[in-house]
Amino acid sequence: MRCPKPTRRSLLLTTLATGAFLTGGKFAAAQEDQPGSSDRPKKGDLLVVSEGERVGAVIAPGDVKLGEPPLHAWPKDPKTSVVRNGSRLNEILVIRLDPGEMDEETRSRSAEGIAAYSAICTHTGCSVTGWLKSETGDKDVLKCFCHNSEFNPREGAQVVFGPAPRRLPALPLAIADGSLTIAATFVGKVGAQQPG
Amino acid sequence: MTRKQWLLSGCVACTTLISTAAVAGPIENYSPVTQARLENPEPGNWMLYRRTYDGQGYSPLEQINTSNVKNLTPVWTFSTGVIEGHEAPPIVNNGAMFVTTPMGQVIALNAKTGEEYWRYKRQLPDDLFQLHPTNRGVGLWQDKLYLATTDDHVVALDAKTGKVVWDTKVQDYKKGQYLTLMPLVIDGKIIVGGSGGEFGVRGYVVAYDANSGKELWRTFTIPAPGEPGSETWTGDDWKTGGGSAWMTGNYDKDTRTVYWGVGNAAPWPGDAHPGDNLYTTSVLGLDPETGKIRTHFQYHQNDSWDWDEVEAPMLVDVQRDGRTVKSLIHPGRNAIFWVLERKPDKISYVTGWPYVHTDVWKGIEPEIGKPIVDPAHKPVVGKRVEFCPSLWGGKDWPSAAYSQKTKYVYVPANENTCGGFSGEKVALVPGQLWLGTKPEDIGLTLRPGAKHIGELQAWDPATGKKVWSHSFPKSQLFGSVLATAGDLVFVGGTNDRYFRAFDAKSGELLWEQKTNSGIMGMPVSYEVDGTQYIAIQSGWGVDAQRIQDALATQNIGVENNVPQGGVVWVFAVKK
């Protein structure tokens, strides 16, 4: 299930932590025993839907709509067909944005306005599941409900609110033979960082 | 051993070495902790979560008192280098202080000077989902310390060096199991309770042997089919029903009974788990030798509000109707101030009253202490329901205190809050949060015309009268309370970053000190070389920050700029 568009009021009242609305089957289908299922995304991997009715379907550029919440995805090895869902660190957010609103770096990592980021918050490793108006602006942002960190996907998922210490790692994308593919490995460390 | 195995074995040793970096240690002349010392702690030490097994949060030290507290001044501070909510009491044993931080660190300090002896850094898994990235302290036994971790292990450390003695996996963190509490130590048993109700786990309390880490017993807070109480559950709900036990229990050393608080049912809407749902939102009376449940009291049935009652009740002798009632006192998250009578095999209701505004309860059945619910304010699947107080309750986990001098109970309350959410049926995904509502649909509002939010309250449990209160107009109160024989009450918990001292009898504000961050930790008092100290960790985060973010939207002038980062503050009276 995707995050609905909330009203401003419900946005302002947003408080607690979760990802409770993730639908079933996400990890039930994990292929932990298959070689490569826990490997990080690799160049050339496809993206497949990780939740909802279309779980497992390859994501085509046309599946990602401007103005809609991000799709949750897993990488998939096109040669072995192994879906890399053996680690939650492989959860990916795929979103179509207005290229005119992207900064140069984000645009360079996107494909036809589609950008991808890690779905694991850099604060304490919770799942980033929200797509809501920011606490500090009028644009929708990626939100982690655990501790209310917000990330702007138009500017490399930099932190715009909350305790997260650094941006969500970006995953460069490309389009090859009509399919959305991963163009390079994650830019930055996925997940939380141990304190010094 | 093959070369590959040898290399792997070597790497494990390397990890251990890396995770325990000695700074100035080891601690010399460490005082081993015995059962006799835990049962009758020296006045200058703080070796249990609330100093004594009765959970009163009271220090008998009186060098710092109402006449000189105005001269209280910082004598040393120590930056932990860790952000997020610092909730642990500084534990002090004859001049050695041990503080824990979020992310599973333990720091050993000289309690007099702040010099660091050693630091243990838990190497947490990269894929850990830390909803409550915090820790509430180390337990002590003989020459070891015991840490419960968010990746669901219990670790024994050498108190002098910080080196790992044993490390026992409790359950699987990938399924939402985690630990945040300070272990309770009784007769060489390390007792902890599991967190994770919001992930749809089945709660439990478990004991380990202090020397070996071997599991001695495990008692689930939700009975399996056929066990007493299982008739209060429907179908397979017991497997995922919550009932976290994530706060340290208290202990009646005379009857050898452990009292442990148990959290809410999962998921939140009550009609998603029909029945009374024992032993959620309850206090359990446990046999520490076997873990057997001797008795229980359920604060409210079929919880639907996320009102976990995880803080264990205080053990207090209360004079009522001409007799001494050996009571359990619990200002509940459900807005009711409970006075119960404890006997080894039975907990009885004595009295209860709302200590903050609530619209959920129509009353309490006088004989059995069962709250009467107004169904209009009980969340269900398929509709939005509003209720007061908010889901953080009249008082969340931060602890109240009891003064043996004034005989009053001091409650860190939150008044005038309401909230609500829309219940929905959601499939459980192991390792993912499972609340029964969308997170963006959870609300926190203030009652119309509310003049304040946080309120430090003093109650006389013998009469049920509120003696005094101090209000905080623009902040929640989210910190534990310390009472002392100097007739002082200390508390942080507000978003203005202050640490405060009040006159225990009158409620007059006598002293305050602004700190680096907000205080959601637990104040303690101790003595070294004849000097009394007050210590607290300042470090805002977790639920205090969540409430803060919500209050900032209420157009009441609440700022949302509390900086994070942990610092140990230690105070003494300037001579």
Side-chain angles (χ1 to χ4, degrees):
Chain A
M1 183 189 300
R2 296 173 177 179
C3 299
K5 285 274 189 182
T7 62
R8 179 73 180 161
R9 178 175 178 276
S10 68
L11 162 70
L12 291 174
L13 295 177
T14 295
T15 49
L16 198 75
T18 158
F21 49 94
L22 298 177
T23 50
K26 192 164 189 174
F27 289 97
Q31 304 169 64
E32 294 180 26
D33 295 331
Q34 294 200 32
S37 67
S38 293
D39 292 352
R40 294 292 159 268
K42 291 182 168 59
K43 182 179 179 180
D45 279 359
L46 299 170
L47 291 162
V48 297
V49 177
S50 68
E51 60 185 41
E53 296 175 356
R54 295 189 63 234
V55 165
V58 173
I59 299 174
D63 295 332
V64 192
K65 311 289 188 187
L66 184 65
E68 289 196 352
L71 285 174
H72 288 252
W74 295 119
K76 178 179 179 178
D77 186 331
K79 295 173 184 169
T80 63
S81 294
V82 169
V83 176
R84 304 191 196 280
N85 57 2
S87 168
R88 61 185 296 268
L89 298 179
N90 287 348
E91 288 184 81
I92 298 163
L93 303 170
V94 185
I95 189 166
R96 185 183 288 274
L97 303 162
D98 179 352
E101 295 183 342
M102 292 178 175
D103 66 16
E104 185 56 38
E105 197 168 52
T106 304
R107 195 179 302 118
S108 72
R109 292 172 181 155
S110 66
E112 295 183 359
I114 302 173
Y117 294 102
S118 165
I120 305 302
C121 183
T122 54
H123 174 223
T124 59
C126 299
S127 296
V128 177
T129 55
W131 178 243
L132 302 164
K133 284 207 170 14
S134 172
E135 295 276 351
T136 57
D138 290 330
K139 297 281 189 182
D140 285 346
V141 291
L142 301 169
K143 180 151 190 160
C144 175
F145 289 104
C146 267
H147 309 99
N148 287 338
S149 289
E150 297 179 350
F151 306 88
N152 182 358
R154 302 163 198 82
E155 298 178 355
Q158 68 170 297
V159 182
V160 294
F161 185 81
R166 56 192 170 84
R167 63 187 64 210
L168 297 173
L171 190 62
L173 298 179
I175 293 176
D177 300 328
S179 295
L180 203 55
T181 64
I182 293 170
T185 55
F186 274 122
V187 180
K189 181 185 181 302
V190 177
Q193 198 162 358
Q194 294 268 345
Chain B
M1 183 182 284
T2 65
R3 177 167 176 76
K4 184 179 178 185
Q5 286 171 327
W6 185 86
L7 287 171
L8 285 172
S9 172
C11 286
V12 171
C14 287
T15 303
T16 303
L17 288 174
I18 290 167
S19 65
T20 306
V23 178
I27 300 173
E28 296 178 354
N29 303 318
Y30 183 74
S31 302
V33 175
T34 63
Q35 186 61 24
R37 292 187 66 210
L38 291 176
E39 291 188 8
N40 293 290
E42 304 85 1
N45 284 325
W46 194 287
M47 300 185 291
L48 291 164
Y49 186 58
R50 299 295 283 145
R51 200 186 87 81
T52 42
Y53 276 129
D54 52 27
Q56 294 179 359
Y58 174 76
S59 169
L61 300 177
E62 54 187 359
Q63 189 181 96
I64 301 168
N65 53 51
T66 53
S67 63
N68 63 16
V69 69
K70 63 181 180 296
N71 296 323
L72 201 60
T73 190
V75 292
W76 60 262
T77 59
F78 182 92
S79 294
T80 68
V82 182
I83 62 168
E84 264 300 338
H86 287 57
E87 300 181 351
I91 295 298
V92 179
N93 176 19
N94 285 345
M97 174 186 287
F98 305 98
V99 295
T100 64
T101 75
M103 322 304 166
Q105 296 200 14
V106 184
I107 307 168
L109 301 164
N110 182 317
K112 185 175 179 179
T113 65
E115 178 188 19
E116 180 179 339
Y117 291 122
W118 53 258
R119 181 186 294 233
Y120 167 79
K121 293 181 182 178
R122 180 76 180 165
Q123 301 299 295
L124 296 169
D126 288 342
D127 62 348
L128 180 62
F129 189 150
Q130 287 203 82
L131 176 61
H132 292 95
T134 192
N135 186 275
R136 297 192 178 91
V138 285
L140 313 184
W141 181 252
Q142 301 291 0
D143 56 358
K144 298 185 189 67
L145 312 178
Y146 302 90
L147 174 72
T149 70
T150 49
D151 62 332
D152 220 46
H153 284 235
V154 174
V155 182
L157 304 174
D158 183 310
K160 296 177 186 173
T161 65
K163 297 206 177 303
V164 175
V165 179
W166 54 258
D167 181 334
T168 295
K169 179 181 175 180
V170 180
Q171 289 197 77
D172 186 357
Y173 73 84
K174 292 186 178 182
K175 294 178 179 171
Q177 303 277 1
Y178 63 108
L179 300 161
T180 57
L181 80 176
M182 174 174 162
L184 174 65
V185 183
I186 301 173
D187 280 328
K189 296 179 182 62
I190 310 305
I191 308 175
V192 302
S195 305
E198 64 277 28
F199 290 86
V201 303
R202 183 184 175 207
Y204 63 90
V205 182
V206 60
Y208 296 97
D209 178 84
N211 291 321
S212 66
K214 178 187 174 188
E215 183 173 322
L216 301 174
W217 52 258
R218 186 180 300 237
T219 298
F220 286 96
T221 59
I222 303 179
E227 295 177 347
S230 60
E231 69 282 2
T232 65
W233 290 88
T234 301
D236 285 339
D237 290 348
W238 63 277
K239 294 179 179 176
T240 55
S244 296
W246 58 359
M247 294 285 291
T248 309
N250 292 325
Y251 176 55
D252 187 332
K253 60 191 179 189
D254 296 328
T255 64
R256 296 188 58 75
T257 306
V258 174
Y259 292 96
W260 212 286
V262 180
N264 58 290
W268 292 354
D271 57 348
H273 43 84
D276 281 358
N277 305 144
L278 288 174
Y279 299 94
T280 61
T281 56
S282 300
V283 54
L284 298 180
L286 299 167
D287 179 343
E289 293 299 319
T290 64
K292 182 184 177 187
I293 298 173
R294 291 177 176 159
T295 180
H296 74 277
F297 179 83
Q298 190 171 37
Y299 298 109
H300 58 260
Q301 290 67 36
N302 188 234
D303 177 76
S304 308
W305 304 266
D306 186 33
W307 284 339
D308 61 22
E309 302 292 357
V310 290
E311 193 198 8
M314 291 185 286
L315 281 59
V316 177
D317 287 351
V318 176
Q319 299 301 318
R320 288 186 66 90
D321 303 325
R323 72 182 182 104
T324 300
V325 177
K326 289 192 169 301
S327 77
L328 297 174
I329 290 182
H330 178 67
R333 190 160 160 175
N334 66 7
I336 298 172
F337 190 114
W338 297 95
V339 180
L340 310 172
E341 181 167 14
R342 69 180 197 276
K343 292 178 180 173
D345 58 350
K346 187 172 177 59
I347 301 171
S348 304
Y349 172 72
V350 176
T351 185
W353 61 87
Y355 66 98
V356 297
H357 170 77
T358 177
D359 59 14
V360 170
W361 311 121
K362 292 180 172 179
I364 302 174
E365 293 185 30
E367 296 300 318
I368 57 174
K370 183 177 181 179
I372 303 164
V373 65
D374 181 345
H377 298 291
K378 182 174 181 177
V380 293
V381 171
K383 63 184 284 193
R384 183 174 183 85
V385 174
E386 303 286 338
F387 53 87
C388 310
S390 78
L391 63 84
W392 286 281
K395 182 187 80 62
D396 207 289
W397 67 264
S399 296
Y402 173 77
S403 168
Q404 295 173 11
K405 285 189 68 179
T406 64
K407 312 293 185 190
Y408 299 156
V409 175
Y410 302 94
V411 183
N414 285 300
E415 180 60 286
N416 296 314
T417 70
C418 300
F421 61 86
S422 301
E424 66 174 27
K425 192 172 179 63
V426 187
L428 173 66
V429 180
Q432 295 293 324
L433 286 158
W434 192 56
L435 306 182
T437 186
K438 294 183 179 67
E440 65 269 33
D441 207 24
I442 300 164
L444 171 67
T445 55
L446 294 180
R447 296 171 69 203
K451 301 294 187 194
H452 72 280
I453 311 162
E455 184 179 352
L456 180 62
Q457 303 174 338
W459 290 90
D460 184 343
T463 64
K465 302 290 186 186
K466 187 194 280 188
V467 184
W468 58 260
S469 66
H470 183 97
S471 298
F472 300 96
K474 294 186 178 180
S475 176
Q476 74 276 43
L477 187 59
F478 207 90
S480 295
V481 182
L482 163 70
T484 76
D487 279 333
L488 294 169
V489 175
F490 291 87
V491 71
T494 52
N495 61 20
D496 54 13
R497 302 192 276 127
Y498 275 100
F499 185 42
R500 295 183 169 90
F502 297 86
D503 185 310
K505 293 177 181 170
S506 69
E508 181 185 359
L509 175 62
L510 299 177
W511 172 87
E512 58 185 0
Q513 165 77 47
K514 207 173 189 72
T515 66
N516 59 296
S517 181
I519 293 171
M520 55 190 304
M522 183 172 288
V524 305
S525 188
Y526 64 93
E527 182 180 291
V528 180
D529 294 340
T531 298
Q532 182 186 355
Y533 299 91
I534 305 291
I536 184 74
Q537 291 204 85
S538 177
W540 206 238
V542 208
D543 282 287
Q545 182 66 53
R546 290 178 186 136
I547 298 171
Q548 179 69 24
D549 289 343
L551 288 174
T553 68
Q554 297 295 299
N555 297 319
I556 55 172
V558 173
E559 297 292 333
N560 191 17
N561 57 357
V562 185
Q564 292 199 357
V567 174
V568 183
W569 290 74
V570 175
F571 304 90
V573 169
K574 191 187 300 182
K575 294 178 180 173

